[in-house]
Amino acid sequence: MKKVIKNGTIVTATDIYDADVLIENGVISLIGENLSTQGAEVVDAKGCYIFPGGIDPHTHLEMPFGGTVTKDDFETGTIAAAFGGTTTVIDFCITEKGEPLKNAIETWHAKSKNKAVIDYGFHLMIGEVNEAVLNELPTVIEDEGITSFKVFMAYKNVFQADDETLFRTLIAAKDLGALVMVHAENGDVVDYLTKKALEQGNTDPIYHALTRPPEIEGEATGRAATFTGLANSQLYVVHVSCADAVRKIAEARDNGIDVWGETCPQYLVLDQTYLERPNFEGAKYVWSPPLREKWNQDVLWNALKTGQLQTIGSDQCSFDFKGQKDLGKDDFSKIPNGGPIIEDRISILFSEGVKKGRITLNQFVDITSTRSAKLFGLYPKKGTIAVGVDADIVIFDPTVDRTISAETHHMAVDYNAFEGMKVTGEPVTVLSRGEFVIRDKKFVGKIGVGQYLKRAKYGERKQTEEDNTLKI
């Protein structure tokens, strides 16, 4: 059935205007004033913004880590994402050294099959580079549409790759049209500091932060950027948490190196003191990179405002406090790294960013949706509101006040990292390819209808009828 969204204010990365939106066959077929409602279902968006569906470029659903598996899978994770206004997630396929890359991809297809309620794609971890891996990469791109590769510079003896692997991945990505992503921390130094802390009997969660100081995130970010310049390639730094890393990204961009940066809501509103909470409560806030001293938040917000950082991911990686986080009760290094963030990503950025004047409405849309669509080969099908694109739409009430809590969230995990935080603004209705997933704050979607997305190569240029300028 056709749908007409009326009485709302459309906001894209470049425009703000009042208009109706006609949806037919899963796409936006017309935008204009006073559109006919004959034969269509009318959706009233009075008093609300109409945003393009959010794109979360950084999730870990049903991922094995630290002797356990993340609590949210592709069903609960994408339902929670939809409640939060996200209509596309890009998850990470974790590979095993010595195994064909296709094995990891097949595993992630099996994890996601018939579960997701919104559309999704995959990034692919590269843990080693040899002739077998290099020979497989063109097939990964052409057949699977996976055009972004993740290299870990941290987690020694688990995920960490050496510098040669990173550099050769960058070289290959340049030739193949892929975007290389890095978790930028110096894993060797982290390993040394962690061992020293434990030898000295320092086992509490706060030592997770103290053994991963911001200097080593900055160092790894700068090293990755240097390699990118040498390879004349392209780099995306995930979950930037501190001023040291922001500075390295800004310097690289000023020098003409093709580097992009992502931060996450947890780094914008939480700080290192959360890891000091008594009774092991600090374990709820153990993820990597760790939370930083509070003053870094101003630097991150300014970086989003000025374009030194361009996107916001959730780094969704949820573990129950009881039964999973407490695996590290007597050893902070055994606390599973990660937090439940996917549902609150957009609301926090709106409330703390737009409502407090730190970023504009257009920047908000660019940061939560459009820029990720462009960087990861989904634009203009995703990431904007225009004729001919997928009808991934969020009707967002900018006036409602609410308190974030595990009692009301939709993630499968037993705590919320932002418990008690008051925010203004909330998604009311969410459509994926023209079908309701959330309607009037209730889940009405269907399990398994989310489609796997094959993505275009990095740098392929697209044009839309509404914007004749070339876009990356």
Side-chain angles (χ1 to χ4, degrees), residues 407-471:
E407 293 183 2
T408 53
H409 76 202
H410 302 88
M411 294 174 284
V413 69
D414 66 1
Y415 78 99
N416 192 297
F418 309 105
E419 186 71 36
M421 180 180 293
K422 292 178 172 25
V423 293
T424 300
E426 182 180 22
V428 175
T429 294
V430 178
L431 299 96
S432 173
R433 284 178 284 104
E435 298 298 325
F436 292 109
V437 184
I438 308 298
R439 188 163 195 181
D440 298 326
K441 303 181 187 179
K442 293 181 174 60
F443 176 68
V444 296
K446 295 179 181 178
I447 308 301
V449 298
Q451 294 183 2
Y452 173 73
L453 302 172
K454 293 184 177 182
R455 298 180 286 114
K457 294 179 181 180
Y458 177 81
E460 286 189 348
R461 298 188 178 265
K462 309 285 183 180
Q463 279 184 289
T464 67
E465 294 178 11
E466 69 162 2
D467 185 354
N468 290 322
T469 59
L470 292 175
K471 304 277 188 175

Side-chain angles (χ1 to χ4, degrees), residues 11 16 49 51 301 346-365 367-368 396 398 424:
V11 185
I16 303 174
Y49 292 126
F51 294 141
W301 280 113
I346 286 175
S347 287
I348 287 174
L349 193 71
F350 181 85
S351 185
E352 293 292 315
V354 177
K355 293 294 285 187
K356 293 189 176 181
R358 290 167 163 142
I359 57 173
T360 68
L361 261 178
N362 299 121
Q363 286 178 313
F364 165 83
V365 170
I367 292 165
T368 59
F396 189 93
T424 300

Side-chain angles (χ1 to χ4, degrees), residues 190-424:
V190 170
D191 184 64
Y192 172 81
L193 293 176
T194 298
K195 288 175 179 175
K196 292 294 289 184
L198 293 173
E199 286 172 6
Q200 295 167 2
N202 298 321
T203 62
D204 291 340
I206 184 59
Y207 288 96
H208 174 76
L210 298 179
T211 56
R212 307 178 91 99
E215 291 87 351
I216 64 170
E217 183 183 345
E219 184 278 330
T221 302
R223 181 159 35 106
T226 297
F227 293 165
T228 303
L230 272 174
N232 190 27
S233 190
Q234 48 273 342
L235 182 75
Y236 180 97
V237 184
V238 302
H239 50 42
V240 173
S241 73
C242 62
D244 299 66
V246 168
R247 190 179 308 115
K248 294 296 185 180
I249 291 170
E251 288 173 358
R253 290 173 64 83
D254 286 345
N255 289 330
I257 301 174
D258 194 1
V259 179
W260 306 87
E262 161 202 288
T263 191
C264 307
Q266 53 269 40
Y267 302 118
L268 295 170
V269 298
L270 306 178
D271 64 73
Q272 185 173 299
T273 61
Y274 283 76
L275 284 93
E276 299 173 344
R277 292 189 168 185
N279 302 318
F280 198 62
E281 289 281 325
K284 294 178 177 178
Y285 306 94
V286 167
W287 44 68
S288 299
L291 294 174
R292 303 301 188 185
E293 291 181 355
K294 191 174 181 63
W295 63 267
N296 287 275
Q297 294 174 6
D298 289 338
V299 177
L300 295 173
W301 280 113
N302 185 65
L304 287 173
K305 181 177 182 178
T306 59
Q308 294 170 326
L309 297 176
Q310 300 82 26
T311 66
I312 185 165
S314 67
D315 194 10
Q316 166 73 14
C317 194
S318 59
F319 298 99
D320 276 337
F321 179 54
K322 295 180 180 179
Q324 292 186 299
K325 287 285 189 179
D326 53 13
L327 291 171
K329 187 77 173 176
D330 300 311
D331 180 347
F332 71 88
S333 70
K334 295 180 180 177
I335 301 170
N337 279 214
I341 313 292
I342 199 168
E343 187 167 349
D344 300 307
R345 179 181 72 106
I346 286 175
S347 287
I348 287 174
L349 193 71
F350 181 85
S351 185
E352 293 292 315
V354 177
K355 293 294 285 187
K356 293 189 176 181
R358 290 167 163 142
I359 57 173
T360 68
L361 261 178
N362 299 121
Q363 286 178 313
F364 165 83
V365 170
D366 195 43
I367 292 165
T368 59
S369 181
T370 310
R371 183 57 52 181
S372 288
K374 292 176 178 179
L375 288 172
F376 294 108
L378 295 171
Y379 188 85
K381 183 179 180 183
K382 309 286 188 185
T384 193
I385 293 177
V387 172
V389 310
D390 282 358
D392 293 352
I393 291 173
V394 177
I395 298 174
F396 189 93
D397 185 341
T399 64
V400 64
D401 294 324
R402 68 184 180 93
T403 300
I404 296 174
S405 175
E407 293 183 2
T408 53
H409 76 202
H410 302 88
M411 294 174 284
V413 69
D414 66 1
Y415 78 99
N416 192 297
F418 309 105
E419 186 71 36
M421 180 180 293
K422 292 178 172 25
V423 293
T424 300

Side-chain angles (χ1 to χ4, degrees), residues 18-139:
D18 294 337
D20 301 339
V21 180
L22 176 63
I23 299 169
E24 297 180 282
N25 301 316
V27 301
I28 297 172
S29 60
L30 192 61
I31 299 173
E33 295 182 351
N34 302 313
L35 296 184
S36 171
T37 59
Q38 185 174 357
E41 180 178 6
V42 177
V43 182
D44 189 1
K46 186 176 182 180
C48 293
Y49 292 126
I50 301 171
F51 294 141
I55 296 172
D56 190 339
H58 191 158
T59 67
H60 300 284
L61 301 175
E62 199 179 327
M63 186 189 82
F65 184 86
T68 187
V69 179
T70 55
K71 194 70 186 295
D72 283 288
D73 62 9
F74 276 85
E75 181 178 323
T76 64
T78 57
I79 289 173
F83 270 105
T86 293
T87 57
T88 300
V89 298
I90 313 179
D91 204 73
F92 288 90
C93 298
I94 303 299
T95 59
E96 297 282 348
K97 289 183 179 180
E99 296 288 331
L101 300 176
K102 68 176 183 180
N103 288 7
I105 298 169
E106 288 172 357
T107 297
W108 254 255
H109 277 306
K111 289 176 187 284
S112 55
K113 186 178 181 181
N114 299 325
K115 284 188 177 180
V117 305
I118 56 175
D119 292 348
Y120 61 97
F122 298 150
H123 308 293
L124 183 66
M125 171 189 163
I126 303 295
E128 60 182 345
V129 171
N130 50 44
E131 289 308 307
V133 170
L134 292 174
N135 289 337
E136 207 176 343
L137 289 180
T139 301

